[in-house]
Amino acid sequence: ILSKKRADYELAWTRLNAAEQNNEDILVKVTGKKDGGLNVDFQGISAFVPASQLDREDLARLDSLVGSTIYCKILKAARNRKRLLLSHRASREKTLAKLHEALKTIKPGEVVHGKVSSIKSFGAFVNLGEFDGLIHISELAWDRVATVEEALEVGQEIDVYVIGIDEENTRISLSLKRLQKDPWEEAVKDLRIGNKLPVKITRLAQFGAFAQIKEGVEGLIHITEMSDEKQVKYPQEIVQSGQELEATIIRLEPQNKKIALSLRQHAELAPEAASTAEPQLPPSPEMAASG
């Protein structure tokens, strides 16, 4: 007579004993909660994590922990009494200590190698060994990226630039685009106020439309600069996303990476008469709002 269930139970206790002797944490599944803490399961062995062994953040989200997996440190393992007592707080403190030490091995400005571990709507997490860093979606490319999946996929190995490190919160900010040359540096060398140039509408906003001048360089056509003939209420009355047309540069702020464009006729800004110096125009609230 054989028993698979009994064999699994024996193996689980063998692994538990080894983990306890080696001071290793174990991965458990949270099966339920009660006032005194969490009920968890380790490979078929029931265990308990007292509330005193949970940190404040865990206590505030007990409901969301049910069904998840967490790492715990073994406090007491008594097989004869079928009692397994664990601590999630101790495991987290040990992990944080490791992370703090690992974070000291890299510095802002360095280029490091990693692997994309997960993708979220706001960016991608990259595993760098002992910890993960975040590439915010705005740091993926100089061009505007609609979704993270356009640029990366889980499991992809990449080099990343370290922007900053927050040791207190064990966070590291990464960038892909800073490993590439800033397209603005070259683009603005050839641009002057009064230049009329071909552009492509990339997206519409309530206050106007953004247009691509060169790869990685966009300008804003404010709604008040769309027509000489009528007052425009909505940008789509004049332009559509993807449309190619000609526009005139009316404000150039390379230091802020902002270019204001116009579809209206500006005789005073004809290229042959325009000065290469930026005119002293007051900053546009709409331009500021556009970022």
Side-chain angles (χ1 to χ4, degrees):
I1 299 174
L2 305 176
S3 173
K4 175 69 165 59
K5 182 178 179 180
R6 180 65 181 268
D8 289 342
Y9 186 79
E10 293 292 335
L11 283 172
W13 272 105
T14 299
R15 296 185 184 113
L16 269 176
N17 292 333
E20 186 176 25
Q21 290 175 8
N22 297 324
N23 194 29
E24 295 175 350
D25 295 342
I26 59 173
L27 185 64
V28 299
K29 183 173 182 179
V30 181
T31 56
K33 66 157 191 171
K34 55 185 180 181
D35 293 340
L38 293 175
N39 291 322
V40 299
D41 176 89
F42 174 74
Q43 300 179 10
I45 300 175
S46 297
F48 184 64
V49 183
S52 61
Q53 297 302 321
L54 296 169
D55 58 28
R56 187 177 301 176
E57 181 181 341
D58 293 329
L59 292 172
R61 60 186 185 103
L62 288 180
D63 288 329
S64 64
L65 285 175
V66 177
S68 67
T69 55
I70 59 175
Y71 279 97
C72 290
K73 177 182 175 60
I74 300 172
L75 296 181
K76 188 172 184 180
R79 180 174 178 178
N80 58 335
R81 298 173 58 189
K82 294 184 179 180
R83 187 181 183 194
L84 180 58
L85 197 63
L86 307 175
S87 171
H88 180 49
R89 187 181 67 192
S91 175
R92 176 171 289 180
E93 288 173 352
K94 185 168 73 172
T95 300
L96 289 176
K98 281 185 177 180
L99 286 175
H100 282 299
E101 287 301 314
L103 285 173
K104 294 177 182 178
T105 63
I106 62 172
K107 297 178 181 178
E110 291 184 345
V111 177
V112 294
H113 189 76
K115 181 184 288 188
V116 179
S117 56
S118 65
I119 289 177
K120 307 295 182 183
S121 60
F122 53 83
F125 287 96
V126 180
N127 183 263
L128 303 175
E130 293 286 345
F131 52 89
D132 283 358
L134 172 66
I135 308 175
H136 190 267
I137 190 170
S138 62
E139 290 293 333
L140 289 174
W142 291 105
D143 283 335
R144 186 171 296 275
V145 178
T147 63
V148 182
E149 289 81 358
E150 291 180 13
L152 296 172
E153 59 183 27
V154 174
Q156 182 178 349
E157 294 192 12
I158 55 174
D159 288 329
V160 289
Y161 178 90
V162 181
I163 300 175
I165 298 172
D166 181 353
E167 290 194 30
E168 182 178 351
N169 297 305
T170 61
R171 293 175 184 170
I172 180 167
S173 302
L174 306 171
S175 175
L176 267 182
K177 75 178 186 182
R178 301 193 193 197
L179 295 179
Q180 309 158 8
K181 193 168 185 178
D182 186 348
W184 278 82
E185 293 179 6
E186 291 298 321
V188 297
K189 292 179 181 178
D190 302 324
L191 300 178
R192 298 290 183 271
I193 294 171
N195 285 165
K196 182 171 283 190
L197 65 167
V199 299
K200 182 178 181 179
I201 304 299
T202 55
R203 57 196 174 95
L204 304 180
Q206 186 177 3
F207 49 80
F210 290 91
Q212 185 184 58
I213 298 171
K214 294 184 179 182
E215 187 175 351
V217 179
E218 283 187 345
L220 171 67
I221 307 172
H222 191 265
I223 196 169
T224 58
E225 291 293 335
M226 288 190 169
S227 176
D228 274 325
E229 300 176 358
K230 66 173 184 176
Q231 184 175 0
V232 182
K233 190 173 182 181
Y234 302 104
Q236 50 267 39
E237 295 175 15
I238 305 296
V239 297
Q240 299 297 324
S241 183
Q243 182 179 354
E244 296 182 2
L245 38 77
E246 281 195 340
T248 303
I249 298 176
I250 59 172
R251 184 183 291 112
L252 186 59
E253 300 179 21
Q255 70 278 12
N256 297 320
K257 296 186 177 179
K258 293 181 181 179
I259 299 176
L261 301 170
S262 177
L263 300 182
R264 297 169 54 198
Q265 298 300 317
H266 287 273
E268 72 278 10
L269 291 177
E272 61 272 13
S275 168
T276 57
E278 182 181 349
Q280 299 301 312
L281 296 176
S284 165
E286 294 80 10
M287 282 291 289
S290 72

